[in-house]
């Protein structure tokens, strides 16, 4: 993967909120495989087990949180300016570039789904804790999309967990994480989240599993077209190149956080009744479906019996 150092980044698509002033999270009922159920957070285990599982499905908007109470945030406009020759060495600027690419793709692909224009939203980088439209969360929940305020949240230290605990060390695992979360944003805009919320929330064929596999497929569709995405000016590519090795890094990340793999890593037995995100094989396969076809219309996990 080679990023374009000349690309002008749209800093309006991300905020660096700094370190949250709130306490521990608790406003979320996130489906945790391996015994967590929908009941809530299970301590330090979440940091190990959640990985990409904080996609936003199943979040309970228990409070009317906001983005206040943050301290120590950085001005991304200055940090990520082309005037800073070292900007792409900073994880925030690299992830901003990924966000720009993902949303540039959806600006073109979303209308093809038979809808109106895509609604651009922001990613909030935070440390330790954050207040959101879905309540307060800490870093333990992993990256997530909040349907209530239509924003993506991530503590970038999560990538260290992804590499050290799951072995997904490749750089391209990072844009895959974000593309998966923006897949949930697309689902929210389409009304898929709301429909899935009326179905089963656990089990191998549940609405939750179908929602997450579709987000993986959407991530694959973006990856197929990532080198076509343009910067803020519409002139410069954001990626100079993406290799087969990069795509394999995304596939490895998808495979590492399947329900069965996570249950095994947590020391428990594999229990399909508790699946909420799909098996390793399914997550890998649906990412490949999106990547091979390059068309989000082929990501209909709700209309097939072949998950």
């Amino acid at each position: 993967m080679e990023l374009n150092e000349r690309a002008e980044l749209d800093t309006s698509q991300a905020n660096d909120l700094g370190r949250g002033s709130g306490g521990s999270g608790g406003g979320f009922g996130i489906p945790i495989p391996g015994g967590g159920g929908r009941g809530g957070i299970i301590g330090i285990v979440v940091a190990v087990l959640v990985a990409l599982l904080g996609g936003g499905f199943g979040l309970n908007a228990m409070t009317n949180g906001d983005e206040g109470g943050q301290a120590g945030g950085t001005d991304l406009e200055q940090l990520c300016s082309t005037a800073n020759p070292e900007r792409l060495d900073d994880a925030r600027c690299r992830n901003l570039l990924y966000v720009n690419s993902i949303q540039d793709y959806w600006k073109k692909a979303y209308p093809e789904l038979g809808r109106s224009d895509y609604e651009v939203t922001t990613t909030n980088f935070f440390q330790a804790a954050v207040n959101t439209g879905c309540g307060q969360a800490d870093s333990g929940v992993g990256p997530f999309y909040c349907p209530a305020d239509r924003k993506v949240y991530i503590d970038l230290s999560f990538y260290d967990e992804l590499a050290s605990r799951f072995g997904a060390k490749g750089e391209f695992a990072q844009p895959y994480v974000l593309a998966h979360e923006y897949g949930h944003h697309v689902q929210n805009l389409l009304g898929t989240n709301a429909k899935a919320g009326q179905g089963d929330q656990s089990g191998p064929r549940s609405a939750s599993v179908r929602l997450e596999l579709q987000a993986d497929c959407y991530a694959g569709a973006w990856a197929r077209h990532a080198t076509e995405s343009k910067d803020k000016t519409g002139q410069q590519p954001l990626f100079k190149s993406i290799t087969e090795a990069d795509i394999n890094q995304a596939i490895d990340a998808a495979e590492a956080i399947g329900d069965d793999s996570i249950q095994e890593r947590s020391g428990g037995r594999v229990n399909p009744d508790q699946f909420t995100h799909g098996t390793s094989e399914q997550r890998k396969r649906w990412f490949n479906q999106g990547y091979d076809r390059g068309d989000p219309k082929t990501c209909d996990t709700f209309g097939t019996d072949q998950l």
Side-chain angles (χ1 to χ4, degrees):
M1 176 176 66
E2 185 178 4
L3 307 181
N4 184 2
E5 65 279 359
R6 298 175 58 188
E8 291 192 27
L9 304 184
D10 183 355
T11 56
S12 70
Q13 294 185 18
N15 298 306
D16 180 19
L17 302 181
R19 181 170 293 276
S21 61
S24 62
F28 296 82
I30 297 177
I32 305 294
R38 296 191 71 218
I41 305 305
I42 51 177
I44 191 64
V45 179
V46 173
V48 181
L49 298 186
V50 170
L52 299 185
L53 307 189
F57 185 69
L59 297 182
N60 297 319
M62 297 178 66
T63 67
N64 292 319
D66 55 35
E67 295 169 15
Q70 307 300 321
T74 299
D75 181 358
L76 294 181
E77 185 172 1
Q78 180 177 359
L79 177 69
C80 302
S81 167
T82 53
N84 176 9
E86 299 178 350
R87 62 185 181 136
L88 294 182
D89 294 331
D90 191 289
R92 289 162 294 186
C93 296
R94 291 198 308 276
N95 278 264
L96 171 62
L97 184 148
Y98 304 151
V99 168
N100 284 180
S101 174
I102 294 163
Q103 298 210 93
D104 186 64
Y105 165 72
W106 280 113
K107 288 177 185 177
K108 302 178 181 69
Y110 186 77
E112 296 178 2
L113 296 176
R115 300 288 177 151
S116 58
D117 292 342
Y118 170 75
E119 180 183 316
V120 173
T121 193
T122 56
T123 287
N124 287 324
F125 306 137
F126 71 95
Q127 299 175 43
V130 65
N131 293 322
T132 81
C134 297
Q136 188 180 73
D138 61 27
S139 299
V141 302
F144 63 95
Y145 171 74
C146 172
D149 60 24
R150 297 187 174 185
K151 294 177 182 177
V152 173
Y153 294 86
I154 183 171
D155 184 329
L156 294 176
S157 66
F158 164 76
Y159 294 136
D160 296 331
E161 292 287 334
L162 188 61
S164 63
R165 301 300 180 99
F166 291 91
K169 300 179 180 179
E171 179 73 16
F172 206 75
Q174 297 187 19
Y176 161 64
V177 168
L178 292 170
H180 176 97
E181 300 308 331
Y182 272 93
H184 287 305
H185 177 55
V186 171
Q187 291 169 328
N188 196 34
L189 296 178
L190 293 171
T192 313
N193 277 352
K195 292 179 181 178
Q198 300 172 10
D200 294 336
Q201 301 308 299
S202 64
R205 304 172 68 81
S206 64
S208 176
V209 166
R210 293 175 188 274
L211 199 75
E212 297 298 332
L213 295 179
Q214 186 177 65
D216 282 334
C217 186
Y218 284 166
W222 160 76
R224 166 60 69 181
H225 298 282
T227 55
E228 302 168 15
S229 59
K230 302 297 182 181
D231 72 350
K232 182 178 179 180
T233 69
Q235 302 299 316
Q236 291 284 341
L238 289 162
F239 288 91
K240 285 187 174 180
S241 65
I242 293 175
T243 67
E244 182 177 351
D246 296 323
I247 299 302
N248 287 335
Q249 290 170 5
I251 293 171
D252 289 345
E255 192 171 15
I257 45 77
D259 283 320
D260 52 345
S261 177
I262 291 175
Q263 288 178 355
E264 290 174 350
R265 287 174 181 271
S266 66
R269 64 183 180 87
V270 175
N271 184 355
D273 289 339
Q274 293 183 348
F275 285 179
T276 56
H277 290 71
T279 66
S280 293
E281 188 277 332
Q282 288 173 322
R283 301 200 72 164
K284 173 181 176 179
R285 178 156 47 83
W286 279 100
F287 176 88
N288 279 328
Q289 165 82 2
Y291 182 75
D292 292 342
R293 301 292 184 88
D295 183 353
K297 292 192 294 294
T298 67
C299 296
D300 184 10
T301 56
F302 289 87
T304 180
D305 292 329
Q306 303 299 317
L307 291 177

